[in-house]
Amino acid sequence: MVASQGSDAALPSSSSPGRPFDDPVYRAAVIDLLGAVGYGEISAFERLTADGRMAPTLEDKVALQGMASAQYLKIGPIVTRLGELGVEAYAVMEPFREAFDSFHAHTAPADWWESLVKAYVGDGLANDFYREIAGFLDTDTRDLVLSTLEDTGRSEFVVGRVRRGIEVEPRIGGRLALWGRRLMGEAVTQAQHVAAEREGIAELLGGGRVEGLDLGTVADMFTRITHRHIERMGRLGLAH
Amino acid sequence: MVASQGSDAALPSSSSPGRPFDDPVYRAAVIDLLGAVGYGEISAFERLTADGRMAPTLEDKVALQGMASAQYLKIGPIVTRLGELGVEAYAVMEPFREAFDSFHAHTAPADWWESLVKAYVGDGLANDFYREIAGFLDTDTRDLVLSTLEDTGRSEFVVGRVRRGIEVEPRIGGRLALWGRRLMGEAVTQAQHVAAEREGIAELLGGGRVEGLDLGTVADMFTRITHRHIERMGRLGLAH
């Protein structure tokens, strides 16, 4: 399982789940992370639904609505957890609006095919990132973050749709391959902005604050995420 | 309970739920009705999410996303039931796209207040109509239609929001009262178009096909729906 790729020694002891929160930097970073995940779900809901307007069939539209609804179900637990940590959940999400909204503004799909690929690639990238990071967090936070990854089989319908689309109209393949690269590029750009602006997250990722998590680990993590993106593009029948 | 306002004698016997489907006109009307309900849910999902873009706070946006997700959960059972009746669910919904899309195109909210009132009034009108009609249907269809009415407490958050909005800015009250009337007017107009174009539904509503359901009953039903709309406007603090 990917989440345990960090060595077990790197994980805060599960017998004292409250302990890491005594460190104010760790606490701030987890709050930021949950805020980012929360706003990510909200904006994904909005984008998936808007993209569904381009769906060629009602069935396709409803499939994207299903992906959006799956995002919604994950917002509640994050809001609850942020409340338990003593912060106002929606206020914590605000600083991440700009990065997510920029990502979506720069990756507005031009047609249904681009919408489909974005839904699949975006979902996949977000899940990979959360799964990687979860392995380094305290038990409660890890379980919460991993729970947001469930039900993602919903996006698998995209694979069949895109492959059949390319069969029928082979020329879209080249354009969608470029599109996938652009999605990855924009995601990395926005993630870098967030890391630069939010000290807690930067400290968590590269500050040696959590045992086993340093800039080298983050580089490895990034390499794995990139590989998995390429695999996903391959499943769609697209060259990276 | 409103659903039982039709006399019990008017209900097809629950001991033979398959019987009314031997009548091809009844069967066609139920298929049409479920198609209309299904597409209504899909289009409401899209509109609630789009209107949520005008939400002044993330919490308000998520509240509309919650209303949208509640619509999504109702689509599955309708698709399943239409499949059991031997028809392709999404094909059955197609003829209703124009009426619902016209309704939404003619009632595009100009701001967040109009979005809120539309979410509440639209949800309420749809529920009242389905509840009224359900009382005249066979047990299986009735249970299915009534199940689409659950969870509508979600829209109750609107009442507090709108009342507080009018307290802060009393001049919006007059505009929203007019808006509520327009929503009702557009809903009635589109419902009449549907009834005129879909013979099965017209026959069901006024053709004496179901015992106890004739044009007089439909007029009474309409009067009750109008009264409940006025009550709803009153709860929002708006004059009808």
Side-chain angles (χ1 to χ4, degrees):
Chain A
M1 185 180 149
V2 179
S4 52
Q5 282 185 345
S7 76
D8 279 354
L11 302 175
S13 158
S14 61
S15 60
S16 59
R19 190 185 52 76
F21 288 97
D22 294 342
D23 174 355
V25 174
Y26 180 82
R27 186 174 172 281
V30 165
I31 287 172
D32 262 8
L33 183 69
L34 294 180
V37 174
Y39 186 71
E41 312 282 14
I42 295 171
S43 68
F45 187 112
E46 214 162 55
R47 291 315 314 170
L48 287 165
T49 308
D51 293 350
R53 299 178 76 91
M54 289 189 269
T57 70
L58 275 179
E59 190 172 0
D60 287 325
K61 186 193 288 281
V62 170
L64 285 204
Q65 291 185 350
M67 288 179 73
S69 295
Q71 303 285 336
Y72 172 76
L73 294 177
K74 298 166 184 174
I75 298 170
I78 287 174
V79 169
T80 303
R81 180 66 182 142
L82 284 167
E84 287 166 4
L85 290 172
V87 290
E88 206 287 289
Y90 294 107
V92 164
M93 294 180 197
E94 283 290 343
F96 300 99
R97 289 183 85 152
E98 198 186 329
F100 280 98
D101 291 355
S102 282
F103 172 75
H104 288 302
H106 285 105
T107 58
D111 63 8
W112 170 242
W113 300 111
E114 291 189 3
S115 297
L116 274 184
V117 171
K118 182 175 170 182
Y120 185 68
V121 163
D123 211 31
L125 280 176
N127 285 336
D128 283 347
F129 174 72
Y130 299 148
R131 200 180 279 122
E132 287 282 352
I133 211 86
F136 295 100
L137 302 172
D138 63 286
T139 320
D140 286 355
T141 312
R142 181 172 56 219
D143 290 349
L144 176 58
V145 170
L146 290 178
S147 77
T148 70
L149 308 179
E150 286 164 21
D151 281 336
T152 50
R154 288 175 179 282
S155 60
E156 289 302 320
F157 87 97
V158 172
V159 174
R161 287 283 194 286
V162 172
R163 295 191 79 99
R164 246 175 301 145
I166 296 172
E167 259 173 53
V168 174
E169 218 177 327
R171 64 176 181 77
I172 64 174
R175 173 162 65 87
L176 293 179
L178 285 175
W179 175 243
R181 271 175 253 181
R182 243 189 74 200
L183 291 170
M184 181 65 171
E186 287 289 344
V188 170
T189 304
Q190 296 305 332
Q192 278 169 338
H193 282 174
V194 167
E197 281 164 23
R198 306 301 298 178
E199 285 179 19
I201 286 183
E203 186 77 6
L204 181 73
L205 287 179
R209 183 73 54 160
V210 174
E211 208 186 318
L213 190 53
D214 56 28
L215 285 179
T217 322
V218 171
D220 293 346
M221 201 186 278
F222 182 71
T223 306
R224 282 193 297 273
I225 290 177
T226 306
H227 276 302
R228 262 175 257 129
H229 170 68
I230 294 170
E231 284 166 18
R232 238 180 332 261
M233 295 295 282
R235 274 199 294 283
L236 291 172
L238 300 172
H240 176 70
Chain B
M1 185 181 152
V2 180
S4 52
Q5 282 185 347
S7 77
D8 279 353
L11 302 175
S13 159
S14 61
S15 59
S16 58
R19 191 184 51 75
F21 289 97
D22 295 340
D23 175 355
V25 174
Y26 179 83
R27 186 173 172 279
V30 164
I31 287 172
D32 262 9
L33 183 69
L34 294 180
V37 173
Y39 186 71
E41 313 282 14
I42 294 171
S43 69
F45 187 112
E46 214 162 55
R47 293 313 316 169
L48 287 165
T49 308
D51 293 351
R53 298 177 76 93
M54 289 188 269
T57 70
L58 276 180
E59 190 173 0
D60 286 325
K61 187 193 288 281
V62 171
L64 285 204
Q65 291 186 350
M67 288 179 73
S69 294
Q71 303 285 335
Y72 172 76
L73 294 177
K74 298 167 185 174
I75 298 169
I78 288 174
V79 169
T80 303
R81 180 64 180 142
L82 283 168
E84 287 166 2
L85 290 172
V87 290
E88 207 288 287
Y90 295 107
V92 164
M93 294 181 196
E94 283 291 341
F96 301 99
R97 288 183 84 151
E98 197 186 329
F100 280 98
D101 292 355
S102 283
F103 172 76
H104 288 302
H106 285 106
T107 58
D111 63 9
W112 171 241
W113 299 112
E114 292 189 2
S115 296
L116 275 183
V117 171
K118 182 176 169 180
Y120 185 68
V121 162
D123 211 32
L125 279 177
N127 285 336
D128 283 346
F129 175 71
Y130 299 147
R131 202 179 278 119
E132 287 282 353
I133 211 84
F136 295 100
L137 302 173
D138 63 286
T139 320
D140 285 355
T141 312
R142 181 171 59 219
D143 291 350
L144 176 59
V145 170
L146 290 177
S147 76
T148 70
L149 308 178
E150 286 162 22
D151 282 337
T152 51
R154 287 175 180 282
S155 61
E156 289 302 320
F157 87 97
V158 171
V159 174
R161 287 283 192 289
V162 172
R163 295 191 78 100
R164 247 176 299 144
I166 296 173
E167 259 173 53
V168 173
E169 216 178 326
R171 66 178 178 79
I172 64 172
R175 174 163 64 87
L176 293 179
L178 285 175
W179 175 243
R181 270 176 254 181
R182 243 189 74 201
L183 291 169
M184 181 65 170
E186 287 289 344
V188 169
T189 303
Q190 296 304 333
Q192 279 171 337
H193 281 174
V194 167
E197 280 163 25
R198 305 301 296 178
E199 284 178 19
I201 287 183
E203 185 78 5
L204 182 73
L205 287 178
R209 182 75 53 161
V210 174
E211 208 187 318
L213 189 54
D214 55 29
L215 284 178
T217 321
V218 172
D220 293 348
M221 199 186 278
F222 183 73
T223 306
R224 283 193 297 273
I225 290 177
T226 307
H227 276 302
R228 262 176 255 129
H229 171 68
I230 294 171
E231 284 167 18
R232 231 172 348 251
M233 294 295 284
R235 274 200 294 284
L236 291 172
L238 301 172
H240 177 68

